[in-house]
Amino acid sequence: MPYDAAAYKGLLVQGRLREALDYLSGFPEQAALLRRTERRFTSPRPLYRGDDPLLAALDKTFQTYYNEVFWQALPQPDCDARLLGRLAPLAGIPESSLPADVTAAMELVENHLAELLLPRGVHYLGGRTQGYFGPYIWRTTTEQTAQVELPGRVQPCKVCLLSDFIANGWLDYISLGQIGAAGWQDGDTLYCVLHRYRGGVESEAFQVSFLKHEAQHSYDREVCGETAGVLLEYRAKLVELIYSSGIGCFKGMLCSADDASPANSHAYAA
């Protein structure tokens, strides 16, 4: 059976790094990718992507977290707690003053980190993506408006095109930048990670997998209020299938599908 990049990336989307590398090891032509990925997690020197001391410290801290969660496969609750303990001093917040719930405490810490970075011309978005922590840190935002056609309606949206990334979440890191979050939705605003769309804003990937997908989220939250993440992703993926022109969209969903972890809403919805 020949190497299937979609199968490899599907395992990464599910957070199954070790299984993804086991898959790569069966194909001699992928030996270089296997070595580069292993080196990322075994090198004693972290990957520095910013010259600001706070940014460098944040990057190192999250890389330690990724190593513990994905490479060492340590229990995630313990990894989350250690991450919080390392981030709180960087935010200038005593850990003893934080809520007992790690997710709530992380929200306070990361909100303060975002406030510290904004005067430096840097945007920071924290929280969990598909069950794991990992921030999005970038410098440039360009705004435009769009009227997005969806089944039976047109959804007005503001679109923010994001560029000059310093960090782009956990999936970008473990895949060596091959894949990662390409955008998200907040209210009537859609945020696009511009470098993910090599064909630009006219490409089907942008028009369908980003614009229609995220606009469907906006519509669903507007009409239905707070809705479970898996259901939101399921409905948005159906919209992608309606408008996509080939089998590639369906194949990508098939390869990333995983019903073992509802917290990873993209993989579970697929």
Side-chain angles (χ1 to χ4, degrees), residues 137-194:
I137 306 175
W138 73 95
R139 296 187 184 276
T140 304
T141 302
T142 304
E143 296 185 4
Q144 61 184 42
T145 59
Q147 299 290 322
V148 185
E149 178 190 344
L150 297 173
R153 72 194 71 91
V154 173
Q155 183 71 17
C157 297
K158 181 170 76 171
V159 181
C160 291
L161 305 176
L162 314 180
S163 55
D164 301 322
F165 271 79
I166 297 163
N168 194 19
W170 64 266
L171 184 54
D172 176 88
Y173 186 80
I174 70 172
S175 70
L176 308 191
Q178 291 187 75
I179 51 175
W184 55 87
Q185 169 267 339
D186 185 7
D188 65 350
T189 303
L190 313 184
Y191 294 87
C192 169
V193 180
L194 193 55

Side-chain angles (χ1 to χ4, degrees), residues 3-12 17-42 71 171-179:
Y3 171 70
D4 186 345
Y8 168 66
K9 293 175 182 178
L11 290 169
L12 294 178
L17 174 64
R18 285 291 193 171
E19 290 181 51
L21 296 183
D22 287 344
Y23 177 74
L24 279 186
S25 68
F27 302 94
E29 70 274 19
Q30 299 301 323
L33 176 58
L34 178 62
R35 285 195 302 271
R36 290 199 307 271
T37 306
E38 290 175 337
R39 192 180 307 124
R40 169 154 293 186
F41 290 92
T42 57
W71 180 257
L171 184 54
D172 176 88
Y173 186 80
I174 70 172
S175 70
L176 308 191
Q178 291 187 75
I179 51 175

Side-chain angles (χ1 to χ4, degrees), residues 27-247:
F27 302 94
E29 70 274 19
Q30 299 301 323
L33 176 58
L34 178 62
R35 285 195 302 271
R36 290 199 307 271
T37 306
E38 290 175 337
R39 192 180 307 124
R40 169 154 293 186
F41 290 92
T42 57
S43 172
R45 301 176 61 185
L47 173 66
Y48 289 111
R49 295 178 285 190
D51 53 6
D52 182 291
L54 177 56
L55 289 175
L58 286 173
D59 218 7
K60 181 179 179 180
T61 298
F62 276 99
Q63 288 175 46
T64 299
Y65 172 74
Y66 301 151
N67 189 292
E68 291 179 350
V69 171
F70 299 111
W71 180 257
Q72 299 179 55
L74 300 177
Q76 189 183 341
D78 297 342
C79 298
D80 291 352
R82 283 192 293 273
L83 174 65
L84 175 63
R86 296 176 185 125
L87 287 179
L90 297 179
I93 299 177
E95 193 174 357
S96 59
S97 69
L98 292 171
D101 179 73
V102 171
T103 299
M106 279 289 291
E107 183 176 0
L108 289 174
V109 167
E110 292 196 295
N111 284 346
H112 193 63
L113 288 169
E115 293 173 2
L116 292 175
L117 289 170
L118 196 56
R120 310 179 195 207
V122 176
H123 303 273
Y124 180 106
L125 178 67
R128 294 185 191 269
T129 302
Q130 314 312 322
Y132 304 102
F133 289 110
Y136 303 88
I137 306 175
W138 73 95
R139 296 187 184 276
T140 304
T141 302
T142 304
E143 296 185 4
Q144 61 184 42
T145 59
Q147 299 290 322
V148 185
E149 178 190 344
L150 297 173
R153 72 194 71 91
V154 173
Q155 183 71 17
C157 297
K158 181 170 76 171
V159 181
C160 291
L161 305 176
L162 314 180
S163 55
D164 301 322
F165 271 79
I166 297 163
N168 194 19
W170 64 266
L171 184 54
D172 176 88
Y173 186 80
I174 70 172
S175 70
L176 308 191
Q178 291 187 75
I179 51 175
W184 55 87
Q185 169 267 339
D186 185 7
D188 65 350
T189 303
L190 313 184
Y191 294 87
C192 169
V193 180
L194 193 55
H195 72 264
R196 292 288 176 205
Y197 300 96
R198 296 180 181 177
V201 297
E202 299 303 321
S203 66
E204 181 174 297
F206 178 88
Q207 292 292 326
V208 176
S209 295
F210 169 69
L211 206 53
K212 294 187 186 297
H213 181 113
E214 300 299 337
Q216 183 66 38
H217 285 339
S218 183
Y219 172 80
D220 286 341
R221 287 192 167 111
E222 177 185 309
V223 173
C224 304
E226 195 58 36
T227 304
V230 169
L231 181 57
L232 286 172
E233 293 303 334
Y234 174 74
R235 288 172 56 80
K237 288 179 184 296
L238 288 179
V239 169
E240 285 189 65
L241 293 177
I242 289 168
Y243 287 98
S244 57
S245 62
I247 196 66

